[in-house]
PDB file of all heavy atoms in Angstrom:
ATOM      1  N   HIS T 329      13.160 -22.671 -28.838  1.00  0.00           N
ATOM      2  CA  HIS T 329      13.154 -23.116 -27.445  1.00  0.00           C
ATOM      3  C   HIS T 329      14.559 -23.189 -26.864  1.00  0.00           C
ATOM      4  O   HIS T 329      14.752 -23.090 -25.674  1.00  0.00           O
ATOM      5  CB  HIS T 329      12.492 -24.466 -27.366  1.00  0.00           C
ATOM      6  CG  HIS T 329      13.278 -25.562 -28.102  1.00  0.00           C
ATOM      7  ND1 HIS T 329      13.181 -25.751 -29.445  1.00  0.00           N
ATOM      8  CD2 HIS T 329      14.155 -26.472 -27.617  1.00  0.00           C
ATOM      9  CE1 HIS T 329      13.941 -26.764 -29.796  1.00  0.00           C
ATOM     10  NE2 HIS T 329      14.563 -27.215 -28.708  1.00  0.00           N
ATOM     11  N   ALA T 330      15.563 -23.358 -27.730  1.00  0.00           N
ATOM     12  CA  ALA T 330      16.924 -23.399 -27.223  1.00  0.00           C
ATOM     13  C   ALA T 330      17.353 -22.035 -26.711  1.00  0.00           C
ATOM     14  O   ALA T 330      18.056 -21.915 -25.705  1.00  0.00           O
ATOM     15  CB  ALA T 330      17.883 -23.855 -28.313  1.00  0.00           C
ATOM     16  N   VAL T 331      16.929 -20.965 -27.401  1.00  0.00           N
ATOM     17  CA  VAL T 331      17.275 -19.606 -26.919  1.00  0.00           C
ATOM     18  C   VAL T 331      16.612 -19.367 -25.574  1.00  0.00           C
ATOM     19  O   VAL T 331      17.227 -18.787 -24.652  1.00  0.00           O
ATOM     20  CB  VAL T 331      16.800 -18.585 -27.962  1.00  0.00           C
ATOM     21  CG1 VAL T 331      17.042 -17.168 -27.430  1.00  0.00           C
ATOM     22  CG2 VAL T 331      17.508 -18.805 -29.276  1.00  0.00           C
ATOM     23  N   SER T 332      15.392 -19.841 -25.419  1.00  0.00           N
ATOM     24  CA  SER T 332      14.743 -19.662 -24.119  1.00  0.00           C
ATOM     25  C   SER T 332      15.479 -20.405 -23.029  1.00  0.00           C
ATOM     26  O   SER T 332      15.663 -19.910 -21.927  1.00  0.00           O
ATOM     27  CB  SER T 332      13.292 -20.190 -24.214  1.00  0.00           C
ATOM     28  OG  SER T 332      12.663 -20.129 -22.971  1.00  0.00           O
ATOM     29  N   MET T 333      15.976 -21.627 -23.333  1.00  0.00           N
ATOM     30  CA  MET T 333      16.739 -22.371 -22.342  1.00  0.00           C
ATOM     31  C   MET T 333      18.014 -21.643 -21.986  1.00  0.00           C
ATOM     32  O   MET T 333      18.405 -21.559 -20.825  1.00  0.00           O
ATOM     33  CB  MET T 333      17.046 -23.753 -22.903  1.00  0.00           C
ATOM     34  CG  MET T 333      17.601 -24.689 -21.842  1.00  0.00           C
ATOM     35  SD  MET T 333      16.387 -25.035 -20.587  1.00  0.00           S
ATOM     36  CE  MET T 333      15.133 -25.864 -21.584  1.00  0.00           C
ATOM     37  N   GLU T 334      18.705 -21.095 -22.993  1.00  0.00           N
ATOM     38  CA  GLU T 334      19.953 -20.361 -22.707  1.00  0.00           C
ATOM     39  C   GLU T 334      19.688 -19.118 -21.880  1.00  0.00           C
ATOM     40  O   GLU T 334      20.497 -18.796 -20.992  1.00  0.00           O
ATOM     41  CB  GLU T 334      20.614 -20.006 -24.039  1.00  0.00           C
ATOM     42  CG  GLU T 334      21.978 -19.350 -23.908  1.00  0.00           C
ATOM     43  CD  GLU T 334      21.880 -17.835 -23.861  1.00  0.00           C
ATOM     44  OE1 GLU T 334      20.842 -17.299 -24.208  1.00  0.00           O
ATOM     45  OE2 GLU T 334      22.881 -17.228 -23.451  1.00  0.00           O
ATOM     46  N   THR T 335      18.602 -18.480 -22.184  1.00  0.00           N
ATOM     47  CA  THR T 335      18.311 -17.289 -21.433  1.00  0.00           C
ATOM     48  C   THR T 335      18.046 -17.578 -19.976  1.00  0.00           C
ATOM     49  O   THR T 335      18.501 -16.861 -19.088  1.00  0.00           O
ATOM     50  CB  THR T 335      17.070 -16.576 -22.033  1.00  0.00           C
ATOM     51  OG1 THR T 335      17.317 -16.341 -23.410  1.00  0.00           O
ATOM     52  CG2 THR T 335      16.784 -15.265 -21.321  1.00  0.00           C
ATOM     53  N   VAL T 336      17.330 -18.643 -19.714  1.00  0.00           N
ATOM     54  CA  VAL T 336      17.040 -19.000 -18.321  1.00  0.00           C
ATOM     55  C   VAL T 336      18.282 -19.441 -17.599  1.00  0.00           C
ATOM     56  O   VAL T 336      18.535 -19.075 -16.460  1.00  0.00           O
ATOM     57  CB  VAL T 336      15.956 -20.104 -18.277  1.00  0.00           C
ATOM     58  CG1 VAL T 336      15.764 -20.614 -16.869  1.00  0.00           C
ATOM     59  CG2 VAL T 336      14.633 -19.562 -18.844  1.00  0.00           C
ATOM     60  N   CYS T 337      19.095 -20.293 -18.260  1.00  0.00           N
ATOM     61  CA  CYS T 337      20.234 -20.863 -17.572  1.00  0.00           C
ATOM     62  C   CYS T 337      21.357 -19.891 -17.346  1.00  0.00           C
ATOM     63  O   CYS T 337      22.118 -20.049 -16.386  1.00  0.00           O
ATOM     64  CB  CYS T 337      20.769 -22.083 -18.389  1.00  0.00           C
ATOM     65  SG  CYS T 337      19.621 -23.449 -18.487  1.00  0.00           S
ATOM     66  N   ASP T 338      21.459 -18.880 -18.205  1.00  0.00           N
ATOM     67  CA  ASP T 338      22.589 -17.955 -18.089  1.00  0.00           C
ATOM     68  C   ASP T 338      22.169 -16.634 -17.463  1.00  0.00           C
ATOM     69  O   ASP T 338      22.870 -15.627 -17.596  1.00  0.00           O
ATOM     70  CB  ASP T 338      23.192 -17.665 -19.475  1.00  0.00           C
ATOM     71  CG  ASP T 338      23.834 -18.925 -20.017  1.00  0.00           C
ATOM     72  OD1 ASP T 338      24.084 -19.864 -19.246  1.00  0.00           O
ATOM     73  OD2 ASP T 338      24.067 -18.982 -21.261  1.00  0.00           O
ATOM     74  N   SER T 339      21.020 -16.601 -16.792  1.00  0.00           N
ATOM     75  CA  SER T 339      20.546 -15.330 -16.238  1.00  0.00           C
ATOM     76  C   SER T 339      20.752 -15.235 -14.745  1.00  0.00           C
ATOM     77  O   SER T 339      20.189 -14.355 -14.090  1.00  0.00           O
ATOM     78  CB  SER T 339      19.042 -15.161 -16.536  1.00  0.00           C
ATOM     79  OG  SER T 339      18.342 -16.221 -15.941  1.00  0.00           O
TER      80      SER T 339
END
Side-chain angles (χ1 to χ4, degrees):
H329 65 278
V331 177
S332 176
M333 191 66 63
E334 184 269 344
T335 304
V336 173
C337 295
D338 294 342
S339 60

